[in-house]
Amino acid sequence: MSAATASTTTSDATERTRALLTTADSGRRRTDRAMQVLIWCAFALAMVPLVWLLWTVTTEGIGRMSIDFLTLSTRNIFGGDPGGGIYHAIMGTLIITGIAAAISVPVGILTAIYLVEYGKGWLARSVTFFVDVMTGIPSIVAGLFAFSLFALFLGPSAQMGMMGAVALSVLMIPVVVRSCEEMLKLVPNELREASYALGVPKWLTIVKVVLRTSVAGLTTGVLLSVARVIGETAPLLVTVGVTDSINFNPFDGRMMTLPVFSYRQYHQGYAPCPAGESASCVADIAFQNAWGAALVLIGIVLLLNLVGRLVNRWFSPKLR
Amino acid sequence: MSITDSPPRAGTRTARRRRSSDRGFNRGFRWIAVGAGVLILVVLAAVALFLLWQAWPALTAGGDELAAEVPRFPADTSFLGYVGPLVFGTLLAAVLALCLAVPVAIGIALFISHYSPRRLSQVLGYLVDLLAAIPSVVYGLWGFLVLAPVLTPFWLWLNENLSWIPLYGGQASTTGRAMATVGVVLAVMILPIITAVSREVFLQTPKLHEEAALALGATRWEVVRTAVLPFGRSGVISAAMLGLGRALGETMAVLMIISPGFSYSLDILAAGQHQTIAAYIAADFPESTGLGINTLIAAGLVLFVITLAVNMTARWIVARRKEFSGAN
Amino acid sequence: MAQRIEVKDLNIYYGDFLAVQDVAMTIEPKSVTALIGPSGCGKSTYLRTLNRMHEVIPGARVEGKVELEGVDLYGSDVDPVAVRRNVGMVFQRPNPFPTMSIRDNVLAGVKLNNKRISKPDADDLVESSLRGANLWNEVKDRLERPGSGLSGGQQQRLCIARAIAVKPQVLLMDEPCSALDPISTLAIEDLIGELKSEYTIVIVTHNMQQAARVSDRTAFFNIAGTGKPGKLIEMDDTSTIFSSPAEKSTEDYVSGRFG
Amino acid sequence: MAQRIEVKDLNIYYGDFLAVQDVAMTIEPKSVTALIGPSGCGKSTYLRTLNRMHEVIPGARVEGKVELEGVDLYGSDVDPVAVRRNVGMVFQRPNPFPTMSIRDNVLAGVKLNNKRISKPDADDLVESSLRGANLWNEVKDRLERPGSGLSGGQQQRLCIARAIAVKPQVLLMDEPCSALDPISTLAIEDLIGELKSEYTIVIVTHNMQQAARVSDRTAFFNIAGTGKPGKLIEMDDTSTIFSSPAEKSTEDYVSGRFG
Amino acid sequence: GSDPEPEGNASDTDAPGSSETNSGEEMGSISGTLSGGGASSQEAAMNAWRAGFQQANPDATVNYDPVGSGGGRTGFGDGSYAFAGSDAALDEDEIAAAEAQCGEGGVIEFPGYVSPVAVAFNLDGVDSLNMSPETIANVFLGEITSWDDEAIAADNPDVELPGTTITVVHRSDESGTTENFEEYLHTVAPDIWTAEPSGVWPVDGQESAQGTSGVVGAAQAGQGTITYADASQVGGLGTVAVGVGGEFVPYSAEAAAEVVAQSPRTEGTSDYVYTIELERDIAGTYPIVLVSYSLACTSYPDEETAELVKGFLGYVVSEEGQQASADAAGAAPLSDTIREAILPGIESISAG
Ligand SMILES: Nc1ncnc2c1ncn2[C@@H]1O[C@H](COP(=O)(O)OP(=O)(O)OP(=O)(O)O)[C@@H](O)[C@H]1O
Ligand SMILES: Nc1ncnc2c1ncn2[C@@H]1O[C@H](COP(=O)(O)OP(=O)(O)OP(=O)(O)O)[C@@H](O)[C@H]1O
Ligand SMILES: [Mg+2]
Ligand SMILES: [Mg+2]
């Protein structure tokens, strides 16, 4: 080991070095600080509408929450009647979104698999491009498309949950493809190679290694896409219609969904209460219903996200 | 043992043996995946054909005929003259939303990827993702009933004091139901999408490049500027395009907030100046019949073409500087 | 179980880029063959052609013959999946499946192929493979724990156990110790010494000392410069390569004058 | 420009994990110091404490002193940004900024400090730095092309040019040649030989031959096993380390008996 | 397939406010699902009718899609809706299309829902104003821009008018309410309001909002706003007493019912088509009313639908049904005379 600091080191050199190492360029420091503050601000700024919106929906909607509201339909409820509930809309939303997911998730994930694992050449390029284009289809156009498609086969009087599900699928597929593609790309090639080297065919490698490893990411992608369509209104109005009765059958008859319910209630506006406000007639009941349904809808999305998180935790690679 | 338990030389035969069922599955799976991709192309082609087929009568009818049959169709103009203001309004809304959302989204994405404490950032990312899950009807209700009244005084102030800026000119709306409010709501709606994608891209910045910048004596912001942002550039552009797609096609929120008009005015604080294609279709579809519906769908076709053009432009921008992209 | 490999006139391409040119070599069964050479000379590329892993890379292809006991691996009736089952591979960085337990990792070759295996058979296979990889004693109490919780050296041995569990004839190793600390490296080198009584082993290494320690025969690859193809310069018994190679460049390389 | 580095009682942690224990060494100005040792012994970790890059990793921290000409780099009034400007670093894998041209890559560090550098000044600096990195002749016709279009060796020299363009006092290199082919390696070794007349150079290498060729003094690090801290075993003139080291383990290592 | 299930709502039937229906026993036997659609103006009334009908006939379900009059007429024309609601009477082409769809029996059309349209404003401290037709037209045209304009002040000597700017809020979507309001202005002030009524607001650059709730919400959000909307929806807004026949009449269901009762039936239509030509200047009546028509066929292919339509429309025009819509939606009940004229058509609905 070398000797201690050589006595030849002049304190002069030390001072120069100290000067070099301690003079922070104040201008750059300031820029750095300023950008940090700015970025914090950007974040805070984004939190404002989120918190505000959630606050509004919660305070406006919480008043309607009750067992009745969640378990009854609005069948035979009209005017300022504060009875009834949104059970039919909850079920409609779950069924229609569920079918849309059942259509879109396999198609979307398979397409993502195609793009990541097989895709090359013009087909892959055009699929990527048109998936981008599909993200921009206005939802009402998707609704009209599904309506015409079914009208070709069933005539114009057909209105059913299935049609709405098809319309939602058109909106949902590109989101599934985009997000799942990204997730599949994150699976390290090492794992694929490890599997190939064990003599596992490609398709089994994809199913059992690639998909299995990216389950967590895929769930996130699927949830994102569900969130994208669960709040759609316009295409469902065209394809599924409205009803205030409970209908579990997506192949026959109208269904109600939460966003449509919310929108229609808002549209009904004030109810005339001849004898003034009373327990049996609430003038702004429709607005309360609209907010209530919105709150339940957000609650459902939250719940789905929570389930997704659990799935993520369950499936995510274990490190210890 | 049930695996290849073969005598010494038999192994070669195993290697030679064609496992036809395996190969069949392999090919089958491949074709299913390809089929899914093709299905998407088919669906899109079907949507495009549907639009074209339904729009055709309106596209081929003369301006006079359309003016006679379609209530909102102004006299003495062609179809292009009629959709022009709608296209303008659509683009204006999308550009406004994008201008507001992209800087904030990049800020949040950077915050989550490079600034916030690690533990916090996950929770925060989740919170922002939540914004994506709020249905557009709720955005519409909130924008109309809650946000617009709050923004009105601010808009009036801008209109009063900064009216020399073209955007703030005209007669400001006293109810806040103007393009500016729509832009804000759309910005909030597309924020989470842009944030989510940008965040992922920023997180992918190779540690190598960040450390290279640090080793040159860069401050944190300088690292972001020299390594993170240039690397994420194409990712941020795609993210912005995703957001733009959503903004272009958003229906309910715009419908419920805007006070529509059909002009080429830049006065985003004024009422009755602009309308977007998607909201226009939703607004007039219920009362339309015959040629009116065709005209609306033709407008939808135009929107489709816009989306296509926007995506192509984005690809072009990304490709133009491909050799400088972070992928190398 | 060990088998002889005969390579004839092999050219290896990445798209249009000729990465390795004109290799001919015989790899003897039940022996360890080391591939050495400077970085980028195509050792990994060449190794991966021996079990058709090369073609997994888009655009990659080969010309020439690789014969396993006289059967051309690139023959038209040969299934690459079956080839890989017979020619196992261990990678530079240990890559156990992160979603699987230690036990499942060992059984991966069986389970991923959807083969049915009875519990006692599986237990036997896990134990024999882990013993074969010198890992049994260290992990026998935590077979259900995730494989990624092991240390680097243990993970690498787990990967070796996984590779030998499918009972291959040949075992390829691409710098299996380069990510490991010296103690783990020694463990793996010992393991290679044991395995060679049963398998044909080909190992790529950057470490001259390691090549000298573990291999019976050594092949030296070199490259004239970036963009040029790599070539097999010479192949001989390890002792000959390290003491009196035929080529000047080999001598320069093994004596540390470049590389 | 070269400056002396004095390290005293240095302990380096990743969170609670003590990665390198109790290092004390003096690094002489205008000389090349090589750090050798088996993988995982903490060479990179130690190197990164010399310009405070270590603390960039979340949870990482150090105890002890690193003095540059008598100034403790970890003193409270020292700005890490200034430290890194004065102690440059070249990494194992060449990492030019892919989004910048060759010219901008060279100027990247300079522009951080001095945004308003005049064009002629910048041109001069680019030329002198690229000449200093032995790259000028190869790239002078394509300064506006992306840096990522160069070969690995050229990229590495570009990174060296970028590092010396900010005129540091010390240059740290972490296995700068391990990803390069032998021709590029030779080019970089030559360059190191030239640079040492102006800079204090510390280089990590796995390649004993390289250490022997380029360095004046060599420090040998070792580790007792995974999870244990790495330690400085001995440091001496390179010739001494390679001919008659004081420690048995050093001799074992440099003679290739392990590692 | 299965029908929308009426069960699961048993507890709804005794929900307060909806339990007073006690239709005749003979009606309780109707079952099945009936789907209609059309004008969204009828939605609130329709909810009341459907509820009333479904309570009397627990096995029946009636759906109504508030897709808009245009959608309703189209749907009725191509057979997707068994009955429809429309804010405008069918024109000749549409009658022809509907007749082709309905078969030889022809179409039934009658004003099932009549509702006053209020001219409503938001002005602090003022909750009622008098305005002559000309003033209303000038205000909505944007000619009168301030609340203390002489024209307004002249009719309201007792009211202290602020100098607030007038902000007109109209419907942004195409609507029957707009068409009706335009028609009113065009009839009573033809020199000022020259645009032909069309359902689309003819003045550019004004504030607007979608739907009745939209305009009401927008009017409430701003100061000095004025709009027109279904009278039952105007909430806390002030309303205008409209000048008619020399006096000012505030809106009321009765005054609106009166104008429908006193206006003549359109001539030259077939027996079961009862449309009216509104007279906008009958003293003592409220002239701005939205008359929304119900459409049905006289014959349907199957018995079940025929029974349902017959039963449902019968309930709609019944005294009880009209009272329900008056309670729930502030509608003006049909007069007995008109009911007498309509009922034969409904009675004639049959299968075949
Ligand atoms: N996926 C690929 N696509 C194109 N070229 C490649 C690819 N992989 C490697 N190469 C090129 O093939 C040549 C041989 O590379 P290879 O990785 O086989 O070298 P190596 O001898 O294993 O080097 P090392 O010792 O660094 O592992 C190199 O020029 C390399 O750039
Ligand atoms: N980011 C990190 N977090 C936690 N531990 C780390 C980190 N990086 C390195 N280590 C640990 O610190 C120890 C020293 O690692 P280091 O990379 O310094 O070794 P090295 O001597 O450079 O090895 P090599 O020759 O492989 O580069 C190792 O045990 C390693 O696992
Ligand atoms: Mg290699
Ligand atoms: Mg290292």
Side-chain angles (χ1 to χ4, degrees):
Chain A
M1 232 111 306
S2 165
T5 323
S7 51
T8 49
T9 310
T10 58
S11 58
D12 191 32
T14 310
E15 279 322 305
R16 255 187 290 126
T17 312
R18 186 180 299 281
L20 266 179
L21 296 183
T22 50
T23 47
D25 183 333
S26 60
R28 288 173 59 200
R29 257 256 173 92
R30 235 179 292 124
T31 318
D32 193 45
R33 278 288 137 74
M35 288 315 295
Q36 179 158 3
V37 170
L38 218 71
I39 283 169
W40 275 86
C41 286
F43 184 77
L45 189 67
M47 285 296 117
V48 170
L50 173 63
V51 172
W52 189 0
L53 220 161
L54 288 181
W55 173 253
T56 307
V57 176
T58 311
T59 47
E60 299 274 349
I62 198 78
R64 284 298 279 146
M65 289 306 125
S66 67
I67 298 293
D68 277 3
F69 190 63
L70 297 177
T71 55
L72 301 178
S73 71
T74 44
R75 188 177 161 91
N76 300 346
I77 302 293
F78 62 94
D81 184 352
I86 56 171
Y87 182 66
H88 59 311
I90 296 177
M91 290 323 286
T93 289
L94 293 182
I95 291 171
I96 291 175
T97 317
I99 297 175
I103 298 171
S104 318
V105 170
V107 172
I109 291 187
L110 281 168
T111 306
I113 288 176
Y114 165 70
L115 290 175
V116 174
E117 305 285 338
Y118 296 102
K120 47 177 184 282
W122 66 270
L123 182 61
R125 271 202 308 279
S126 33
V127 170
T128 317
F129 179 73
F130 285 110
V131 164
D132 285 356
V133 173
M134 260 175 104
T135 55
I137 295 183
S139 51
I140 176 100
V141 168
L144 295 179
F145 167 70
F147 180 78
S148 309
L149 187 72
F150 276 76
L152 274 185
F153 301 108
L154 302 175
S157 62
Q159 277 200 316
M160 55 188 184
M162 198 58 206
M163 272 164 78
V166 167
L168 292 189
S169 295
V170 172
L171 298 171
M172 196 172 170
I173 287 175
V175 186
V176 181
V177 176
R178 280 299 286 252
S179 44
C180 290
E181 193 188 343
E182 294 306 320
M183 298 307 165
L184 292 181
K185 278 186 191 156
L186 291 182
V187 177
N189 247 327
E190 289 180 353
L191 295 184
R192 295 188 180 92
E193 299 211 326
S195 173
Y196 296 149
L198 289 172
V200 180
K202 187 163 183 169
W203 75 279
L204 279 175
T205 302
I206 293 170
V207 173
K208 293 195 158 184
V209 176
V210 178
L211 291 184
R212 177 65 186 72
T213 311
S214 55
V215 159
L218 297 181
T219 340
T220 311
V222 168
L223 287 177
L224 254 179
S225 67
V226 168
R228 165 77 181 80
V229 299
I230 202 169
E232 276 301 341
T233 311
L236 294 179
L237 262 180
V238 181
T239 51
V240 189
V242 297
T243 180
D244 51 17
S245 303
I246 299 160
N247 176 11
F248 289 119
N249 185 350
F251 294 97
D252 186 39
R254 290 130 217 274
M255 291 173 111
M256 191 53 128
T257 55
L258 286 169
V260 174
F261 177 82
S262 193
Y263 183 64
R264 283 327 307 173
Q265 288 289 319
Y266 154 75
H267 251 260
Q268 275 178 34
Y270 295 98
C273 287
E277 202 93 347
S278 73
S280 63
C281 184
V282 182
D284 64 350
I285 190 68
F287 290 106
Q288 290 186 27
N289 280 336
W291 287 114
L295 181 60
V296 170
L297 184 55
I298 293 178
I300 289 178
V301 176
L302 268 182
L303 210 66
L304 279 176
N305 268 295
L306 219 64
V307 172
R309 299 252 132 183
L310 287 181
V311 171
N312 275 4
R313 177 154 321 164
W314 187 259
F315 280 108
S316 66
K318 293 163 189 72
L319 295 174
R320 54 196 71 253
Chain B
M1 210 145 298
S2 51
I3 339 290
T4 31
D5 197 3
S6 36
R9 291 199 55 114
T12 14
R13 264 179 276 127
T14 334
R16 186 190 281 255
R17 199 170 62 221
R18 195 178 262 185
R19 300 225 322 191
S20 53
S21 69
D22 246 19
R23 284 194 161 184
F25 276 123
N26 229 343
R27 198 163 311 145
F29 188 78
R30 185 197 172 113
W31 285 119
I32 293 175
V34 175
V38 171
L39 181 68
I40 287 186
L41 291 185
V42 170
V43 169
L44 201 84
V47 171
L49 272 181
F50 156 75
L51 284 171
L52 204 61
W53 167 53
Q54 293 280 305
W56 196 247
L59 293 177
T60 48
D64 298 340
E65 189 182 343
L66 286 171
E69 297 249 348
V70 185
R72 254 190 241 286
F73 204 96
D76 310 323
T77 185
S78 65
F79 179 74
L80 284 181
Y82 155 82
V83 288
L86 287 173
V87 171
F88 176 79
T90 308
L91 292 178
L92 183 66
V95 166
L96 271 183
L98 220 52
C99 289
L100 289 173
V102 168
V104 179
I106 292 179
I108 307 169
L110 281 176
F111 178 79
I112 293 172
S113 68
H114 285 83
Y115 280 80
S116 78
R118 195 156 288 257
R119 242 163 231 287
L120 193 62
S121 63
Q122 277 199 345
V123 181
L124 297 181
Y126 180 57
L127 268 180
V128 175
D129 286 352
L130 247 188
L131 271 172
I134 295 174
S136 48
V137 176
V138 180
Y139 274 110
L141 282 175
W142 175 74
F144 168 34
L145 297 174
V146 183
L147 183 68
V150 173
L151 284 178
T152 308
F154 179 61
W155 294 154
L156 289 173
W157 181 86
L158 281 182
N159 180 241
E160 211 147 287
N161 298 294
L162 296 173
S163 59
W164 49 271
I165 299 178
L167 287 178
Y168 303 146
Q171 167 74 48
S173 158
T174 49
T175 58
R177 304 170 51 79
M179 193 45 122
T181 309
V182 172
V184 171
V185 172
L186 284 182
V188 176
M189 292 180 79
I190 65 178
L191 197 63
I193 308 175
I194 306 182
T195 305
V197 179
S198 315
R199 180 185 67 204
E200 291 307 314
V201 177
F202 291 156
L203 283 173
Q204 303 286 320
T205 315
K207 272 269 154 323
L208 272 179
H209 296 150
E210 287 177 23
E211 295 201 334
L214 276 174
L216 289 173
T219 58
R220 179 149 54 169
W221 165 242
E222 286 161 352
V223 170
V224 167
R225 218 189 52 204
T226 41
V228 179
L229 289 181
F231 175 83
R233 193 172 154 276
S234 75
V236 171
I237 292 179
S238 342
M241 287 308 119
L242 275 180
L244 186 61
R246 178 107 201 244
L248 286 173
E250 177 51 36
T251 311
M252 271 315 165
V254 180
L255 179 65
M256 289 166 78
I257 296 168
I258 204 165
S259 155
F262 303 85
S263 75
Y264 291 105
S265 156
L266 275 177
D267 305 340
I268 58 172
L269 301 179
Q273 304 298 323
H274 314 103
Q275 172 70 305
T276 74
I277 293 180
Y280 172 63
I281 298 176
D284 278 11
F285 187 76
E287 297 292 325
S288 295
T289 47
L291 203 54
I293 291 181
N294 298 131
T295 315
L296 290 179
I297 291 182
L301 183 67
V302 172
L303 180 56
F304 191 80
V305 173
I306 295 178
T307 316
L308 206 78
V310 161
N311 273 294
M312 282 170 124
T313 320
R315 284 200 171 240
W316 179 73
I317 294 175
V318 171
R320 210 172 37 128
R321 278 180 55 96
K322 194 180 198 136
E323 52 183 17
F324 284 98
S325 92
N328 291 321
Chain C
M1 295 188 93
Q3 291 188 326
R4 177 192 315 274
I5 301 174
E6 197 102 24
V7 177
K8 292 173 186 161
D9 305 327
L10 194 68
N11 289 321
I12 315 176
Y13 295 85
Y14 286 105
D16 292 334
F17 170 57
L18 177 59
V20 179
Q21 190 175 31
D22 215 12
V23 179
M25 75 163 64
T26 305
I27 296 166
E28 297 295 336
K30 301 206 182 192
S31 73
V32 178
T33 304
L35 310 181
I36 61 170
S39 190
C41 68
K43 304 179 298 292
S44 305
T45 304
Y46 171 67
L47 192 75
R48 290 165 61 97
T49 58
L50 300 183
N51 69 342
R52 297 191 64 169
M53 282 295 284
H54 181 60
E55 66 203 64
V56 167
I57 294 161
R61 64 198 169 84
V62 303
E63 285 167 2
K65 279 192 170 168
V66 178
E67 291 180 356
L68 186 69
E69 290 289 337
V71 181
D72 182 9
L73 296 186
Y74 288 89
S76 61
D77 59 344
V78 172
D79 180 8
V81 172
V83 170
R84 293 184 200 130
R85 216 170 293 141
N86 287 297
V87 184
M89 187 157 196
V90 175
F91 298 82
Q92 183 168 2
R93 278 185 50 198
N95 53 0
F97 297 114
T99 51
M100 296 184 188
S101 67
I102 292 175
R103 185 171 188 278
D104 287 348
N105 259 294
V106 176
L107 293 174
V110 182
K111 290 209 163 163
L112 291 180
N113 269 312
N114 275 341
K115 286 217 203 73
R116 230 173 285 283
I117 180 168
S118 71
K119 175 124 186 5
D121 278 358
D123 288 344
D124 285 352
L125 183 61
V126 170
E127 180 166 349
S128 65
S129 306
L130 285 173
R131 274 191 201 285
N134 255 338
L135 192 61
W136 175 250
N137 286 324
E138 290 161 60
V139 302
K140 63 171 183 264
D141 303 327
R142 41 172 175 166
L143 290 176
E144 298 306 329
R145 314 276 318 148
S148 41
L150 299 175
S151 81
Q154 290 173 327
Q155 287 190 16
Q156 194 61 298
R157 277 179 283 154
L158 178 58
C159 292
I160 295 177
R162 180 175 71 183
I164 60 183
V166 293
K167 306 228 182 294
Q169 263 99 49
V170 181
L171 205 54
L172 311 176
M173 300 185 174
D174 190 353
E175 304 189 34
C177 304
S178 76
L180 305 183
D181 64 81
I183 288 97
S184 311
T185 303
L186 279 183
I188 298 216
E189 287 179 8
D190 288 349
L191 176 59
I192 293 173
E194 284 169 32
L195 291 174
K196 84 171 171 186
S197 61
E198 279 191 82
Y199 301 92
T200 305
I201 295 180
V202 186
I203 176 171
V204 171
T205 177
H206 259 136
N207 185 320
M208 240 58 68
Q209 285 75 29
Q210 187 171 64
R213 280 194 301 265
V214 304
S215 73
D216 302 307
R217 288 176 66 79
T218 299
F220 172 61
F221 285 74
N222 205 353
I223 181 175
T226 343
K228 303 264 167 48
K231 285 181 181 165
L232 173 61
I233 303 300
E234 69 173 308
M235 178 172 186
D236 214 326
D237 284 345
T238 301
S239 52
T240 319
I241 291 282
F242 279 87
S243 56
S244 52
E247 300 283 331
K248 173 78 173 66
S249 61
T250 315
E251 195 180 340
D252 283 357
Y253 186 77
V254 299
S255 62
R257 268 195 286 281
F258 82 87
Chain D
M1 294 189 94
Q3 291 188 324
R4 176 195 312 273
I5 301 174
E6 195 100 26
V7 178
K8 293 171 184 165
D9 305 328
L10 194 69
N11 289 319
I12 315 176
Y13 295 86
Y14 288 105
D16 292 335
F17 170 57
L18 176 59
V20 179
Q21 191 174 31
D22 215 9
V23 179
M25 75 163 63
T26 304
I27 295 166
E28 296 295 336
K30 302 204 183 195
S31 75
V32 178
T33 304
L35 310 181
I36 62 171
S39 190
C41 67
K43 303 180 296 293
S44 305
T45 305
Y46 170 66
L47 192 75
R48 290 164 60 97
T49 56
L50 300 185
N51 70 342
R52 297 192 63 170
M53 282 292 286
H54 180 62
E55 66 198 41
V56 168
I57 294 161
R61 63 198 168 83
V62 303
E63 286 167 3
K65 279 195 173 164
V66 178
E67 290 179 359
L68 186 70
E69 290 290 337
V71 182
D72 184 8
L73 297 186
Y74 289 87
S76 59
D77 57 346
V78 171
D79 181 10
V81 170
V83 170
R84 293 182 201 129
R85 205 183 314 135
N86 288 296
V87 185
M89 188 160 196
V90 175
F91 297 82
Q92 182 167 5
R93 279 183 50 200
N95 55 359
F97 296 116
T99 49
M100 294 183 190
S101 67
I102 294 176
R103 187 171 187 279
D104 289 347
N105 259 294
V106 176
L107 292 176
V110 186
K111 284 195 173 162
L112 295 178
N113 289 304
N114 178 5
K115 295 200 185 71
R116 247 163 268 289
I117 185 168
S118 73
K119 182 141 184 344
D121 281 358
D123 289 344
D124 286 351
L125 185 62
V126 169
E127 180 168 347
S128 66
S129 305
L130 284 172
R131 276 194 200 284
N134 253 337
L135 192 62
W136 176 249
N137 288 323
E138 291 161 61
V139 300
K140 61 168 180 270
D141 302 326
R142 43 173 174 162
L143 291 176
E144 297 307 327
R145 312 278 315 143
S148 46
L150 300 174
S151 81
Q154 290 172 327
Q155 288 190 16
Q156 193 62 295
R157 276 178 285 154
L158 178 57
C159 293
I160 296 177
R162 180 176 68 185
I164 60 182
V166 292
K167 307 219 188 302
Q169 263 95 52
V170 181
L171 206 54
L172 310 177
M173 301 184 171
D174 191 354
E175 304 189 33
C177 304
S178 75
L180 305 183
D181 64 78
I183 288 93
S184 312
T185 303
L186 279 185
I188 298 219
E189 285 180 9
D190 287 350
L191 176 59
I192 293 174
E194 285 169 30
L195 291 175
K196 84 171 171 187
S197 61
E198 281 191 81
Y199 300 92
T200 306
I201 295 179
V202 186
I203 176 171
V204 171
T205 177
H206 259 138
N207 186 320
M208 239 58 68
Q209 284 74 29
Q210 188 171 66
R213 280 195 301 267
V214 302
S215 72
D216 302 306
R217 290 177 65 78
T218 299
F220 172 61
F221 284 76
N222 204 354
I223 182 177
T226 345
K228 302 260 167 49
K231 285 183 181 162
L232 172 62
I233 303 299
E234 68 175 307
M235 177 171 185
D236 214 327
D237 285 346
T238 301
S239 53
T240 317
I241 292 281
F242 279 88
S243 56
S244 52
E247 301 283 331
K248 173 82 173 61
S249 60
T250 315
E251 194 178 343
D252 282 357
Y253 185 77
V254 298
S255 64
R257 270 195 284 281
F258 83 88
Chain E
S2 75
D3 290 327
E5 288 167 299
E7 88 260 358
N9 302 294
S11 50
D12 292 358
T13 30
D14 50 37
S18 58
S19 53
E20 75 271 17
T21 31
N22 56 346
S23 318
E25 289 301 297
E26 76 284 355
M27 278 183 75
S29 55
I30 303 177
S31 68
T33 302
L34 176 64
S35 289
S40 50
S41 54
Q42 295 194 21
E43 190 175 5
M46 200 51 92
N47 282 348
W49 292 329
R50 284 161 48 233
F53 181 69
Q54 284 170 172
Q55 276 163 358
N57 303 280
D59 292 335
T61 295
V62 182
N63 293 313
Y64 182 80
D65 294 348
V67 292
S69 308
R73 293 199 296 267
T74 312
F76 184 67
D78 64 23
S80 12
Y81 294 139
F83 72 99
S86 170
D87 289 343
L90 295 183
D91 63 23
E92 275 164 32
D93 290 349
E94 284 163 340
I95 289 265
E99 233 137 41
Q101 172 70 30
C102 284
E104 80 247 39
V107 185
I108 302 174
E109 183 172 14
F110 62 88
Y113 174 78
V114 173
S115 171
V117 173
V119 176
F121 57 88
N122 186 13
L123 204 55
D124 271 348
V126 185
D127 50 348
S128 176
L129 280 178
N130 297 331
M131 285 197 196
S132 68
E134 292 74 22
T135 312
I136 296 178
N138 275 324
V139 164
F140 277 90
L141 258 188
E143 296 293 329
I144 296 178
T145 56
S146 171
W147 281 105
D148 56 3
D149 192 277
E150 286 162 27
I152 304 176
D155 289 338
N156 298 281
D158 306 335
V159 182
E160 181 127 350
L161 287 166
T164 322
T165 315
I166 299 181
T167 304
V168 174
V169 181
H170 62 84
R171 289 280 292 267
S172 64
D173 47 342
E174 221 188 309
S175 77
T177 313
T178 303
E179 185 164 3
N180 225 285
F181 188 58
E182 285 181 68
E183 227 166 64
Y184 163 73
L185 293 175
H186 190 62
T187 317
V188 296
D191 303 333
I192 302 167
W193 194 269
T194 49
E196 282 292 323
S198 72
V200 171
W201 193 250
V203 188
D204 284 336
Q206 292 176 333
E207 299 256 356
S208 58
Q210 194 239 354
T212 302
S213 338
V215 286
V216 172
Q220 284 169 338
Q223 255 304 307
T225 48
I226 187 164
T227 189
Y228 56 91
D230 192 315
S232 63
Q233 297 292 312
V234 295
L237 294 173
T239 52
V240 170
V242 175
V244 55
E247 54 181 327
F248 292 103
V249 183
Y251 85 82
S252 70
E254 296 72 35
E258 220 28 58
V259 77
V260 174
Q262 295 189 25
S263 295
R265 179 177 176 172
T266 313
E267 284 169 19
T269 58
S270 62
D271 280 356
Y272 299 151
V273 174
Y274 189 107
T275 54
I276 48 179
E277 299 286 344
L278 274 180
E279 297 271 355
R280 308 279 192 176
D281 53 1
I282 307 168
T285 65
Y286 185 77
I288 319 175
V289 290
L290 171 67
V291 180
S292 192
Y293 291 92
S294 298
L295 304 171
C297 291
T298 42
S299 67
Y300 287 91
D302 63 303
E303 188 74 39
E304 189 185 89
T305 314
E307 279 302 307
L308 277 163
V309 176
K310 187 170 172 178
F312 181 64
L313 292 186
Y315 175 75
V316 167
V317 298
S318 70
E319 221 163 310
E320 188 190 336
Q322 287 293 307
Q323 190 53 49
S325 65
D327 290 346
L334 287 178
S335 68
D336 289 341
T337 335
I338 299 181
R339 189 180 355 265
E340 295 305 318
I342 297 168
L343 271 175
I346 296 175
E347 292 298 332
S348 77
I349 294 176
S350 63

